[in-house]
Amino acid sequence: MNRCHSHDKLLFTPGPLTTSSTVKQAMLQDLGSRDTGFIQCVQDIRDGLLKVAGTSQAQGYECVIIQGSGTFAVESVISSALPPEGKLLILINGAYGARIAQISSILGISYCLLESAENVLPDLEILRATLTENTDISHVAAVHCETTTGLLNPVAEIGRIVKEAGRTFIVDAMSSFGGIPIDMNEFPADFLISSANKCIEGVPGFAFVLARHEALQKARYARSLSLDLYAQWRGLEENGQFRFTPPTHALLAFLQALSELQDEGGMPARHQRYEANHFELIAGMTALGFSCYLPTHLRSPIITSFRYPDHTCFDFTAFYNRLNELGHVIYPGKVSSADCFRIGTIGRIFVADVLALIAAIKQAGCDCGFMGDDGIIIQEVN
Ligand SMILES: *Cc1c(COP(=O)(O)O)cnc(C)c1O
């Protein structure tokens, strides 16, 4: 018996996430990469993703699938789209924005930063002025939902400023695409990046880029063979095949996940379910005495950061392990300036699951000694 196997736990994380049993079952098939059924599956996924985003090839958009996790696709876009003489302006208010800077630095791409604290939105007037004053900036990158905290950046407004200034706009919509409605026809992004194991509720194995056709045509500056976005697209267009081994099982699961997204009512319905999860979580956690890191207007329904309770008995690892034993997986924090942990509300989870999580948190809090029998965080008096 596989020692890793256990009864399915509920994942309250930013991905991989809890998936439906039908998505998992779709993987019980071995297909060759040249199988006509498989090639059709890939085409259906590419068309389906554009459709989810309200657009199509006929409307001037393309979908490119890249093997690997989400970061591979971010790296593919940055390394293929930036010309040698180009310069990337990166908006940073969390770890994922910082990761784009790290990618650029390793690739030797020149870049500059517009940084704000992890609980502060970028200053759009400074953005406008920076683009006016620095004519060498050719591309701008921003993160939609900063999964570090759950903060939602105003990417549509950022994009309008970037497009008015005539620059190329790259959006990391990894944790939001599928869970927060995005219509590519109104959304001013040239490249939008997301992955299989986030809000579409597939399993890990690949990421994808939705790109404006003209922008993709120009993305021929690959600095890597396997992450060459343009060559990957040309390959998929020419014969429907991947240049290198495709994650066949993950793609089969994803096609099923896309059909379940449609059955649920598309992005608006999924957004509503995630919001219901998120509001139930906040109500439950607040009643237990926890407080949110972000103010209400900056939060997203994707993931929520909670501050560590101010109690000597609180130890995140012990709390996490106890919750894990109770079948609920939460996530450590990533905020650099405050002690937080995170709870995701995306994936195949519903309000009833969130209520079960709250009950488990109460149990774990009592067992760890920072909550009283009433299930409320004990206020220590010094
Ligand atoms: C998940 C995520 C990524 C990609 O992470 P991987 O571990 O490479 O899949 C990138 N950006 C954001 C905002 C994310 O949430």
Side-chain angles (χ1 to χ4, degrees), residues 280-328:
E280 198 67 52
L281 176 72
I282 298 218
M285 291 295 279
T286 312
L288 300 183
F290 287 96
S291 62
C292 294
Y293 169 70
L294 288 179
T296 316
H297 70 284
L298 297 182
R299 292 177 205 155
S300 67
I302 307 296
I303 193 164
T304 309
S305 295
F306 294 97
R307 289 180 185 276
Y308 280 6
D310 188 14
H311 191 288
T312 40
C313 288
F314 181 83
D315 170 64
F316 179 73
T317 308
F319 176 58
Y320 172 92
N321 288 339
R322 184 70 192 111
L323 266 179
N324 195 55
E325 284 166 10
L326 295 169
H328 293 81

Side-chain angles (χ1 to χ4, degrees), residues 14 69-71 96 99 143 145 147 172 174-175 195 198:
S69 83
T71 305
Y96 292 97
R99 187 176 294 178
V143 178
C145 173
T147 321
D172 171 350
M174 208 70 68
S175 62
S195 73
K198 303 245 172 160

Side-chain angles (χ1 to χ4, degrees), residues 288 359 361-363 365-379:
L288 300 183
I361 287 175
K362 229 183 232 187
Q363 173 80 52
C366 290
D367 295 349
C368 292
F370 66 88
M371 277 187 186
D373 291 336
D374 53 0
I376 295 176
I377 295 170
I378 300 164
Q379 298 296 315

